[in-house]
Amino acid sequence: GQNIDQPTEMTATEGAIVQINCTYQTSGFNGLFWYQQHAGEAPTFLSYNVLDGLEEKGRFSSFLSRSKGYSYLLLKELQMKDSASYLCAVWGDYKLSFGAGTTVTVRA
Amino acid sequence: EAQVTQNPRYLITVTGKKLTVTCSQNMNHEYMSWYRQDPGLGLRQIYYSMNVEVTDKGDVPEGYKVSRKEKRNFPLILESPSPNQTSLYFCASSSGGAGGYGYTFGSGTRLTVV
């Protein structure tokens, strides 16, 4: 089975940094994805990690430790438009399994 | 433009009235999948298809059917909808069934069963 845990909500101030943690226990692992989802819209791809380490893409970075079953998404220089839900997802057993998502609220 | 197209975007129906949600992709992807999203539960896979005429159950297949007669289309069928199938549904496709490519999602279908 798949078990993917992430915090339900986080709040941060505009310009700050927020780190969203994700822990997983899955029967198969072929990579970990992070998606952003605004309310009522489709998820959009942010990042992909298959090897241990940090992947940086602009203001967003994602880290993976396969031995610990752990990942985090780092959002820097927060902007109001970053207020959204962030989904951690693991690819394994021919499917992408999602955590319940972390709602990030950015305050002025 | 590369995309996954779902229709309809919104649907209100009555219990027991058969319905179909269509999904079509123009990227020649082999892998397609259906998810439902409910508050606090996240996205849960209903069915997936590795290729034409190859479909398999996901985590929550009860009450749903799918077919994959052509590569581009993957309709979701609710033979006898019930109120507990009220949800936000997403179709997705991928070029690689073994990971690394991620999904392209459709815009979603918000279904209400009364």
Side-chain angles (χ1 to χ4, degrees), chain B residues 31-92:
Chain B
Y31 184 96
M32 297 185 74
S33 184
W34 276 102
Y35 284 80
R36 61 177 288 174
Q37 187 174 32
D38 303 288
L41 297 178
L43 284 155
R44 293 179 293 167
Q45 190 182 51
I46 303 169
Y47 270 94
Y48 67 95
S49 170
M50 298 287 284
N51 212 327
V52 176
E53 302 292 1
V54 180
T55 63
D56 209 344
K57 296 177 181 179
D59 297 318
V60 288
E62 295 76 22
Y64 304 95
K65 287 175 58 177
V66 293
S67 69
R68 188 91 183 272
K69 294 183 171 58
E70 315 164 88
K71 190 180 246 189
R72 62 183 294 125
N73 294 324
F74 190 44
L76 179 69
I77 303 157
L78 285 72
E79 294 271 3
S80 182
S82 63
N84 64 13
Q85 292 178 298
T86 293
S87 187
L88 179 58
Y89 291 86
F90 288 102
C91 179

